[in-house]
Amino acid sequence: LARAGRNSQAEFVLRALVQAGGRPDAATYRRMAATYARRAQAARGHALVREMRARGEEVELMLYASALQASWRELDSSRKERDKHAAGSDAARRFERRLNLTVRHARELFNSLRATGAIAGEGADPLLPSELEARSAVWLGMLRCYASARCMEDALVLIDELKQSSALREAAGARGYAAVMHEVARTGDTTSAEGLLKRMAVQPAVAPDVNVYNALLETYATALAMPPTSSGGGNFLPAALALTDRLEAEGVAPNARTRNLVLKCYTRAGDMASAESLVAALEEDGQADTYTYNTLLVGWSSQAASSEGAGRASAEVIVGRCEAVLQRRLERGIPLDSHCVTIVLDVHRRALLAAREHDARSADTIMLSDDALRRMMAFATDVIRALEAGELVVHGGGSGGGGNGSNSRSSEVTSDAGGAKERARSVVDTGGPRQPDTPSTKHGKSLMCVLILDILAELKTPPSWLMAMSLYGRFVRGGLLPGLGNDGRAAVRTTGRRAARRGKSSGRTGSAPRRHVRRATFLDLHSFARGASQVAVAYHLAELCADPDSRLAHGGRGLTIVTGRGLHSASNAATDTLSVVFTSAANLLNVMGVAYQVNGRGGRIELARRDLLQLAEHLRAHYSPAARAMLADSDIASSTRGEPSLPLQLMLQSVSAAALEALLARPEDNVGAARASAPVAKEAVVAHSR
C-alpha cells in the first residue's frame, strides 16, 4: 500500500495492527518512513517517530533520517512556492510561516538526538559501518534542511561541529559541503561557492570529492546564464575549465554529471562549436546520455532566442541543427522525451515567426511562412503519432540542463540499439514499448498538445488556424486534452437533486422520486495557454453551430466556458485579477460579436442558446453555393467514423476565417471590454440560470 501511494490505507492497517497487540517489525516502519520522505510529508514522518516514542519502542536512526529527509524535501517545495509569489503577499507569508515551522520541527528532532548522544561520531567502541552511515544520514538530513531553508549560517556551524569528529568528517564531510554548495549553485553566487571550497582546506581539512566539484561547476553554469550586469553574471567559462583541470590533477574521477555540466557551461557561454566537439567525443566513448542531448538542444534553442534579429536564415539553420541532434540521439538508441520535443517545437515557433516577419516586409510572391509551417507540421505530426501510440516519454529527461547523470530518476523507455537506424526514419519514431497512461502521463500529453496549438494560433495565418482547429478536433477525439468528455466534445455535466414526495391527497403511500435536472455544456480551459484557449473556444463554437438543432436542444444554456487561471497567468497576481485565458477567450468572443455573460467572480463565461443559434444562422448564410450543394447531398454529409462530419468541416472553415479576420483587425487583447463585462450583476446571472 505504501509503495502504491495509498498512505491513508497503509496507516490504517498499521494502527489496526498496533491496536490488536501486534508489534510491527523495523522493515514495516522503514517502508512507511521512506514513503513519507519521497512524498515530502514531514508532518507524518515526525508523527510516526513520536508515536513510536510514546509506545516505548526503539526508533532506528534511519527513521530519524527519513523524517529529516521529508523535512528538507518539504522545505524545498515551500521555498519554491514562496518565491513564485510577490514578496509581502499573503501567499508568500503563508509559505514563509510553513517554512519556518518545518525548520523548527526538524531542529527540535535533531537536537533531541544530539542531547542523548545517539548521533555522536565516537563512542566507547568503534562504530560499525552501518551505524556510522546511519549517524551520517541524520547529520546530512539536518544540513540539507538548513540549506533548503537558506539558513547558511546554521549550516556552516553544523558543518564545523561535524568536522570535529574524525569518523563523521571522513564519512559525511564532503557530502555536507556538497549539499550546501548545491543550494548556493541555484543562486549563482560564485564567490560564496568558491569560499566554501577554500573553507574545506581549513583544519581539520576535508578532501573535496566529485560532488563538491560538480556543485561548483553548477554554480558557474548558473552564473553564465545571468546577465553581465547582475551580481553573479560574467564569463565564468575559463574558471569552469580550470576547475576540470584541477579535478584531474587531484585524481578525482569525473562522472556523467561532470561532463554534462561542462557541456552546460559551453552552451550557456554561447560556444556551440566546443559543445558540439564535446558531444562528438562523448558519442565516440559511448558516454552520451539523455541529458547530454537535452543540454545541447537547450544551447541551440538559446542561440535561436539570441539570433531572432538575424532573421529567417539563422532560424532555419538552428531548426536543422536541432533535428539533427534528435536523429543522432535516436541512432544511439536513446528514446525521445517531452523535454527535448518541447525545445524543438519552441525553435520551430521562432522560425515560423521569423518567416512571417520576412513575408510581411518582402514583396515576393513566395510565402516563406508556408514552407516553415509545412516543416513544423511534419515534425508535429510525428510527435502526435508518438503521443497517440504512447511511445513518447512524457516525463523523462529531467530538466535537460546538464542533468543528474547517473543519479537520474527519469522513467525512460529503453530500446535496443541494433535497430535504431531503421527507427530513425521518422524524427520521433522511438520504436519503444507503449507507455502506461498514468495521471502524470496524461497531463504531460495534454501540455504537449496545448503547446502545438499555441504555436499554430500565435502565427495567425489562415493555414495555421485551420490546422490548429483540425488538430484540436483530433486531440479531443483521441482524449489527449483535459477538461473534455469521453465523446470528444466539451464535457456535458448533469447536476441537480432528487426529491421524494408523498401524494397524501391521492391516498398513495408514496411516489417515485422526481428528478430536477439542469444540463449545460462545459468547456474547461484549465491548463490551457492563450492561443490554445482561443482555438478551443472557436472549435466548440463551430461544433455547436454545425448542427444547432441537435446540439443545442437539451437546455437553456448553450455553452459555459470555465477559464481558470491558465498556463500564462501570473501566479503572484491578485485574486481579483482576470486570468490571461479569460481575457483571450473573452477577446475572441468580443471581436466575433458573440454576446456572453460573466459570473460574479469572473471565472466563467456563459453563452446563451439563443446567441449561439444567431451565430449559426449568420455563419451558414455566408456559405458558398458549392458548400450548400454539398450539404444538400445526404451521402456526402454523413459522418465518417473517427473523422469530423462535412457540416462540421465547413463550419470549422467558416469559424476559423471569421475568428482570424476579427483577431487580425483588432490584434490587441480587448482587456477593457473583458473587465467591463466581468462585474455583471450577479442577480442577472442567477435569474438567467433559473
Side-chain angles (χ1 to χ4, degrees):
L1 291 174
R3 289 180 179 178
R6 300 161 70 177
N7 292 350
S8 300
Q9 298 180 16
E11 291 172 350
F12 176 80
V13 173
L14 182 61
R15 290 195 184 97
L17 179 61
V18 173
Q19 292 175 0
R23 295 183 61 86
D25 57 0
T28 302
Y29 286 119
R30 280 198 296 268
R31 290 193 187 98
M32 288 299 303
T35 302
Y36 295 147
R38 285 194 305 270
R39 298 182 178 273
Q41 297 174 337
R44 293 188 175 185
H46 288 264
L48 180 64
V49 173
R50 288 195 300 269
E51 290 175 3
M52 294 181 65
R53 283 177 170 179
R55 291 194 297 267
E57 299 182 15
E58 182 180 358
V59 184
E60 293 183 350
L61 286 180
M62 292 307 297
L63 293 182
Y64 287 101
S66 296
L68 291 174
Q69 184 181 6
S71 297
W72 73 259
R73 288 184 184 275
E74 185 173 314
L75 285 167
D76 189 64
S77 175
S78 300
R79 180 176 49 78
K80 290 178 180 177
E81 292 296 328
R82 181 199 61 186
D83 295 342
K84 290 180 181 179
H85 300 275
S89 62
D90 293 339
R93 286 195 294 267
R94 182 173 67 253
F95 284 109
E96 183 69 24
R97 289 193 297 268
R98 178 180 172 184
L99 188 146
N100 294 333
L101 184 64
T102 306
V103 172
R104 190 184 73 185
H105 289 166
R107 185 186 292 114
E108 291 174 354
L109 183 65
F110 180 80
N111 290 336
S112 65
L113 276 176
R114 186 164 53 179
T116 60
I119 54 175
E122 285 81 15
D125 299 325
L127 296 177
L128 297 175
S130 59
E131 296 176 343
L132 182 60
E133 181 61 27
R135 299 188 182 194
S136 300
V138 174
W139 282 84
L140 290 174
M142 192 64 226
L143 269 174
R144 290 192 176 99
C145 287
Y146 283 142
S148 296
R150 301 288 169 83
C151 302
M152 295 304 175
E153 294 183 1
D154 295 333
L156 293 178
V157 170
L158 196 62
I159 285 181
D160 291 338
E161 294 180 10
L162 183 146
K163 289 171 64 176
Q164 301 305 318
S165 169
S166 59
L168 290 176
R169 183 173 65 250
E170 294 178 2
R175 286 186 288 173
Y177 273 103
V180 178
M181 291 176 68
H182 176 71
E183 294 299 327
V184 174
R186 297 185 178 184
T187 63
D189 189 355
T190 57
T191 303
S192 299
E194 292 171 349
L196 286 171
L197 184 61
K198 295 178 181 178
R199 188 187 180 98
M200 296 182 69
V202 178
Q203 295 298 328
V206 176
D209 60 1
V210 66
N211 295 321
V212 173
Y213 288 117
N214 287 345
L216 186 53
L217 280 174
E218 189 176 1
T219 308
Y220 288 141
T222 305
L224 283 168
M226 296 181 177
T229 56
S230 63
S231 58
N235 185 13
F236 292 98
L237 182 59
L241 298 179
L243 184 65
T244 58
D245 296 337
R246 174 180 173 180
L247 184 144
E248 295 177 358
E250 294 182 0
V252 179
N255 56 16
R257 180 173 171 79
T258 309
R259 294 185 291 269
N260 289 329
L261 285 171
V262 173
L263 178 62
K264 189 176 184 179
C265 291
Y266 275 132
T267 57
R268 291 196 170 178
D271 190 356
M272 296 305 299
S274 300
E276 287 283 0
S277 300
L278 178 58
V279 172
L282 294 176
E283 288 175 344
E284 291 180 1
D285 298 337
Q287 298 176 346
D289 56 10
T290 300
Y291 303 97
T292 303
Y293 292 109
N294 283 356
T295 305
L296 187 59
L297 284 173
V298 170
W300 282 118
S301 177
S302 302
Q303 292 294 310
S306 61
S307 63
E308 283 186 342
R312 167 188 60 85
S314 60
E316 289 183 352
V317 170
I318 293 174
V319 168
R321 295 276 190 179
C322 291
E323 292 184 349
V325 172
L326 295 185
Q327 291 286 0
R328 290 158 56 186
R329 173 175 176 153
L330 289 174
E331 288 173 359
R332 283 155 184 82
I334 301 177
L336 304 187
D337 52 54
S338 58
H339 182 72
C340 68
V341 172
T342 302
I343 296 170
V344 179
L345 284 173
D346 183 68
V347 174
H348 274 288
R349 180 185 65 84
R350 298 180 189 276
L352 282 168
L353 296 179
R356 186 187 64 179
E357 293 177 1
H358 177 274
D359 293 341
R361 295 191 305 265
S362 176
D364 298 337
T365 57
I366 300 177
M367 302 298 291
L368 298 176
S369 59
D370 293 343
D371 295 336
L373 182 60
R374 278 193 292 269
R375 186 171 186 176
M376 182 265 179
M377 284 305 302
F379 178 76
T381 302
D382 291 337
V383 172
I384 295 168
R385 288 172 181 167
L387 288 174
E388 292 173 340
E391 297 174 351
L392 187 66
V393 184
V394 296
H395 48 260
S399 61
N404 296 328
S406 58
N407 298 326
S408 75
R409 295 174 297 174
S410 63
S411 57
E412 299 176 6
V413 177
T414 58
S415 56
D416 61 300
K421 292 187 178 180
E422 287 78 12
R423 294 198 301 268
R425 294 189 303 269
S426 174
V427 176
V428 292
D429 184 13
T430 62
R434 181 178 178 86
Q435 195 178 17
D437 282 338
T438 61
S440 60
T441 302
K442 294 180 180 178
H443 182 66
K445 289 181 178 180
S446 66
L447 292 181
M448 191 74 61
C449 295
V450 166
L451 176 61
I452 295 173
L453 295 174
D454 205 40
I455 293 172
L456 293 173
E458 185 181 4
L459 190 59
K460 290 184 180 179
T461 61
S464 69
W465 254 77
L466 190 56
M467 287 181 183
M469 295 186 70
S470 300
L471 283 180
Y472 181 86
R474 179 175 176 176
F475 294 157
V476 298
R477 288 191 298 272
L480 295 176
L481 285 176
L484 303 170
N486 296 327
D487 57 352
R489 304 174 186 171
V492 178
R493 303 177 184 175
T494 302
T495 59
R497 61 186 178 88
R498 293 185 179 182
R501 299 179 181 179
R502 297 182 181 275
K504 296 182 179 179
S505 59
S506 61
R508 292 180 298 175
T509 57
S511 61
R514 301 177 62 183
R515 298 186 63 184
H516 301 273
V517 177
R518 178 174 59 87
R519 291 182 177 179
T521 302
F522 285 75
L523 174 60
D524 193 348
L525 296 182
H526 284 85
S527 300
F528 274 68
R530 182 196 303 268
S533 63
Q534 292 181 336
V535 171
V537 172
Y539 179 89
H540 288 288
L541 285 178
E543 185 185 44
L544 291 170
C545 294
D547 191 7
D549 295 333
S550 61
R551 299 284 173 87
L552 299 175
H554 60 258
R557 287 187 180 181
L559 179 64
T560 299
I561 304 172
V562 184
T563 59
R565 295 203 58 83
L567 289 179
H568 296 329
S569 300
S571 58
N572 57 358
T575 56
D576 57 347
T577 303
L578 298 178
S579 69
V580 172
V581 171
F582 176 90
T583 54
S584 60
N587 175 55
L588 179 66
L589 296 174
N590 286 332
V591 297
M592 290 184 64
V594 181
Y596 63 90
Q597 287 183 316
V598 184
N599 70 340
R601 293 184 296 176
R604 294 190 179 189
I605 300 174
E606 299 175 353
L607 283 74
R609 174 176 176 269
R610 61 180 180 274
D611 297 324
L612 290 174
L613 289 173
Q614 292 177 3
L615 178 63
E617 293 177 0
H618 172 74
L619 293 173
R620 299 179 83 174
H622 289 78
Y623 278 176
S624 64
R628 293 175 182 173
M630 293 173 67
L631 286 175
D633 191 342
S634 58
D635 295 334
I636 299 178
S638 61
S639 176
T640 306
R641 179 176 178 84
E643 296 294 334
S645 62
L646 181 59
L648 179 56
Q649 293 180 21
L650 294 175
M651 189 58 70
L652 287 175
Q653 296 178 6
S654 180
V655 172
S656 175
L660 186 59
E661 180 181 359
L663 290 174
L664 291 177
R666 299 168 62 181
E668 297 296 331
D669 282 347
N670 196 353
V671 180
R675 292 182 181 277
S677 303
V680 174
K682 192 173 182 180
E683 293 79 5
V685 176
V686 173
H688 177 67
S689 301
R690 291 175 180 173

